[in-house]
Amino acid sequence: MRPIFFYGLCLFACACSSPAKDRETDPEEFRNELKPTEVAVIPAELKTFNYTVIATGKIEADQFAEARFGTSGLVKDLKVRNGQKVRQGAILAELYNQELQLSLKKAEANWKQMEYDYRSQLLSYSEKDLAGVRGDTIRESIAFATGYANAKIEYDLAIYNFQQATLKAPISGVVANVTIKPQNYISADETVCEIYAPESIRAVVHIMESDFSKLKLGQSATLSSAAIDKDISCIVERINPIIDEAGMIEVVLKVNNYQSLLPGMNVQASIDIPTNEAVVVPKEAIVVRGGRQVVFVAEAGKAKWQYVKTGLDNGESVEVLEGLEVGQKVILKNNLQLAHGAAIIF
């Protein structure tokens, strides 16, 4: 009884295991049974890659001056206001100068008295004595002995101090940041106003050090700001060859339309970097598999991945240096979920 029962169990086990073996599916056959993935494709193109360096910064004026009196005093008159255009040498403001005027008259009188004594002593010398180097020595000795030399210095200083009570524009330009009012006291080191030349306006921006090698003088750029309603064209005028503590490099852009820009304005610059022709694909075509960059291409209804080496990336397109040929159909849509050899339709 026992041998027959054991034999029956074996037959039952074999019968149960045979169908399971028959149901094993080849991975390739399983893949073929899946519904094809719908994709979008685009041909890989050989074209000039548009790379742009983005930088932020501020508007500054190359010609900029702080106007200050050279002396302290009470403000008598203010002749300018913010936004006013002035020419170099124009009077901006004046101090009460009665005391300075009296000091000037006193210094002038003293100088003229000393000049009289100086010339009187020269009369005792002949023309021959006063000729050449010997004559220069005699004149110098008499000038110091009579006090004429010091009196002339004091007179010149009095003229200078008197002139400091009248503030004149150091440069031509636009007046800004007027800080004083008439009848207010002002010290010699206090700024009365600032003046900048509008035609000297520049955009001073900062780029990452990784982009330094891509920049050259004369490259075109576009300037934008929340304060202006349209972009302004400009060019790279100066590149400061020093990296600051933040790892940035200062770049100065010369603008073509400075009328709509003001010093201190925040701006963003897009600097165009010319490149050679290369195979270019949209950025979304690049996926990562096993830590390496891959592009899926469509071949005979299948998705085939190809390892690629990329170059520049402008945020929209990527330069492909190796691994992709012109004309290959690059997969864009649904490429993140694809596997090598997957069925596709487009």
Side-chain angles (χ1 to χ4, degrees):
M1 182 67 179
R2 184 175 296 176
I4 295 174
F5 176 73
F6 178 76
Y7 179 72
L9 287 176
C10 291
L11 289 176
F12 178 76
C14 290
C16 292
S17 60
S18 292
K21 184 176 182 181
D22 293 340
R23 286 198 300 272
E24 289 183 1
T25 306
D26 181 73
E28 186 64 29
E29 293 178 1
F30 178 74
R31 183 179 291 118
N32 292 336
E33 292 177 3
L34 292 176
K35 181 180 178 180
T37 302
E38 184 178 352
V39 299
V41 299
I42 187 173
E45 297 181 282
L46 183 66
K47 61 181 182 181
T48 301
F49 182 75
N50 296 320
Y51 184 74
T52 303
V53 172
I54 304 298
T56 58
K58 288 183 177 292
I59 295 299
E60 297 181 8
D62 272 359
Q63 296 180 37
F64 175 89
E66 294 182 342
R68 296 186 180 92
F69 285 108
T71 186
S72 302
L74 195 64
V75 178
K76 177 182 179 182
D77 191 16
L78 176 64
K79 298 181 179 296
V80 293
R81 63 185 183 278
N82 286 330
Q84 181 176 337
K85 292 183 179 180
V86 296
R87 300 191 60 87
Q88 184 177 17
I91 296 177
L92 305 177
E94 293 178 315
L95 298 177
Y96 287 101
N97 61 4
Q98 292 92 331
E99 185 177 348
L100 294 172
Q101 190 173 22
L102 290 173
S103 296
L104 175 59
K105 289 181 178 180
K106 180 179 179 181
E108 183 180 14
N110 184 56
W111 169 62
K112 287 183 177 180
Q113 177 62 47
M114 297 303 169
E115 184 181 28
Y116 176 80
D117 295 342
Y118 167 72
R119 295 190 181 280
S120 296
Q121 291 197 29
L122 286 179
L123 293 176
S124 60
Y125 292 89
S126 66
E127 291 185 6
K128 182 179 180 181
D129 292 333
L130 297 176
V133 176
R134 183 170 180 268
D136 293 339
T137 303
I138 292 174
R139 289 188 181 87
E140 183 177 359
S141 297
I142 295 176
F144 281 104
T146 59
Y148 170 72
N150 287 334
K152 181 62 169 65
I153 293 173
E154 290 176 359
Y155 175 58
D156 290 340
L157 180 60
I159 293 176
Y160 173 79
N161 289 334
F162 180 77
Q163 291 174 341
Q164 298 310 299
T166 300
L167 180 61
K168 296 182 179 181
I171 63 172
S172 298
V174 178
V175 176
N177 290 336
V178 176
T179 61
I180 66 168
K181 295 179 181 180
Q183 308 307 315
N184 286 358
Y185 182 85
I186 187 170
S187 60
D189 60 349
E190 188 175 345
T191 299
V192 172
C193 65
E194 297 170 345
I195 301 174
Y196 71 90
E199 65 274 10
S200 74
I201 276 181
R202 301 290 189 270
V204 180
V205 299
H206 296 85
I207 66 167
M208 294 186 296
E209 60 179 293
S210 57
D211 288 324
F212 172 71
S213 61
K214 304 180 184 70
L215 254 61
K216 292 182 176 58
L217 298 180
Q219 287 173 334
S220 61
T222 302
L223 212 61
S224 61
S225 171
I228 54 179
D229 56 2
K230 62 179 181 179
D231 293 345
I232 296 176
S233 61
C234 48
I235 61 171
V236 176
E237 184 178 55
R238 299 192 294 270
I239 303 173
N240 188 12
I242 293 179
I243 299 171
D244 64 21
E245 294 179 355
M248 307 296 284
I249 295 173
E250 183 181 275
V251 177
V252 177
L253 304 175
K254 181 180 179 180
V255 298
N256 294 327
N257 179 18
Y258 58 82
Q259 285 83 357
S260 56
L261 300 174
L262 297 175
M265 186 178 290
N266 294 305
V267 293
Q268 177 175 290
S270 301
I271 306 173
D272 301 323
I273 308 298
T275 59
N276 297 323
E277 284 195 336
V279 177
V280 179
V281 298
K283 187 173 182 178
E284 58 265 33
I286 307 295
V287 296
V288 177
R289 291 289 188 272
R292 296 179 62 184
Q293 292 179 314
V294 170
V295 168
F296 281 97
V297 298
E299 291 184 6
K302 303 285 187 181
K304 305 290 185 182
W305 80 24
Q306 296 179 185
Y307 291 113
V308 293
K309 178 182 178 182
T310 61
L312 297 174
D313 178 348
N314 63 12
E316 295 181 357
S317 302
V318 177
E319 183 184 31
V320 180
L321 304 178
E322 297 176 7
L324 190 64
E325 296 181 2
V326 176
Q328 285 190 292
K329 296 178 180 179
V330 178
I331 297 174
L332 302 180
K333 180 182 176 183
N334 292 329
N335 56 337
L336 293 177
Q337 63 206 52
L338 287 177
H340 183 70
I344 57 173
I345 57 171
F346 55 88

